[in-house]
Amino acid sequence: MRFFAVLLLSFFLPAAAFAEEGGPRAFTPCRACHSLDPAERGLPGPNLSGLIGRTVAGDPAFDYSPALRKAHDDGLRWDEKRLDTFLTDPAAMFPGLWMSMPGIEDAAERQALVKLLAAPFPGRGAAYQ
Ligand code: HEC
């Protein structure tokens, strides 16, 4: 029950706050599981602040799947091209991924997400690794 309430909250409250900040609509579905604020913890997915340039599975507070941990151990890093490929079909890039999200077919929508994830979080910087 508590989990359900938290899930509901994470769907509605942050999405509204984010819209007020003028963030691209493309991130709204991700917002249920991910935050770009390095201070925000405890969501169902890893924190995505400072994603571009950091290693795959680079949130030290998140318990990743073996698939992503292996990519991390192999030294894979996120760059804009890799993120675009990932968003096109996440499970194809990392079979066994624990993120149940279909790929995004619209290239413009993917690019909007890549740009957003490459930008530092407003006011806090991207000092997160
Ligand atoms: C239902 C929850 C959920 C939604 C919605 C979701 N994700 Fe995820 N995401 C996850 C989980 C869980 C993981 C970790 C997967 C694993 O360990 O295999 C993850 C991992 C990731 C990673 C890799 C992070 C890293 O540290 O290397 C990226 C990038 C990512 N998601 C982007 C997105 C984007 C962009 C969206 C929206 C278009 C999105 N996700 C929507 C749950 C979600």
Side-chain angles (χ1 to χ4, degrees), residues 95-115:
L97 188 75
W98 286 348
M99 173 170 127
S100 49
M101 193 198 76
I104 300 169
E105 281 175 31
D106 184 345
E109 195 180 328
R110 289 200 309 272
Q111 268 314 299
L113 277 170
V114 169
K115 282 222 158 56

Side-chain angles (χ1 to χ4, degrees), residues 79-88 107 110-111 114:
D79 59 23
E80 299 194 3
K81 191 167 177 295
R82 175 163 287 140
L83 183 57
D84 186 73
T85 310
F86 175 72
L87 293 174
T88 308
R110 289 200 309 272
Q111 268 314 299
V114 169

Side-chain angles (χ1 to χ4, degrees), residues 65-86:
S65 63
L68 280 198
R69 281 208 304 270
K70 181 179 182 305
H72 178 92
D73 293 345
D74 290 346
L76 236 62
R77 282 186 183 270
W78 288 112
D79 59 23
E80 299 194 3
K81 191 167 177 295
R82 175 163 287 140
L83 183 57
D84 186 73
T85 310
F86 175 72

Side-chain angles (χ1 to χ4, degrees), residues 13-106:
L13 291 181
F18 199 77
E20 277 164 26
E21 285 163 22
R25 206 163 281 174
F27 194 71
T28 305
C30 326
R31 193 68 190 80
C33 298
H34 294 292
S35 176
L36 299 175
D37 179 347
E40 190 175 4
R41 301 269 155 211
L43 293 176
N47 192 289
L48 296 185
S49 63
L51 184 82
I52 299 293
R54 92 181 189 193
T55 54
V56 170
D59 176 354
F62 192 80
D63 191 14
Y64 288 95
S65 63
L68 280 198
R69 281 208 304 270
K70 181 179 182 305
H72 178 92
D73 293 345
D74 290 346
L76 236 62
R77 282 186 183 270
W78 288 112
D79 59 23
E80 299 194 3
K81 191 167 177 295
R82 175 163 287 140
L83 183 57
D84 186 73
T85 310
F86 175 72
L87 293 174
T88 308
D89 191 348
M93 190 170 202
F94 299 112
L97 188 75
W98 286 348
M99 173 170 127
S100 49
M101 193 198 76
I104 300 169
E105 281 175 31
D106 184 345

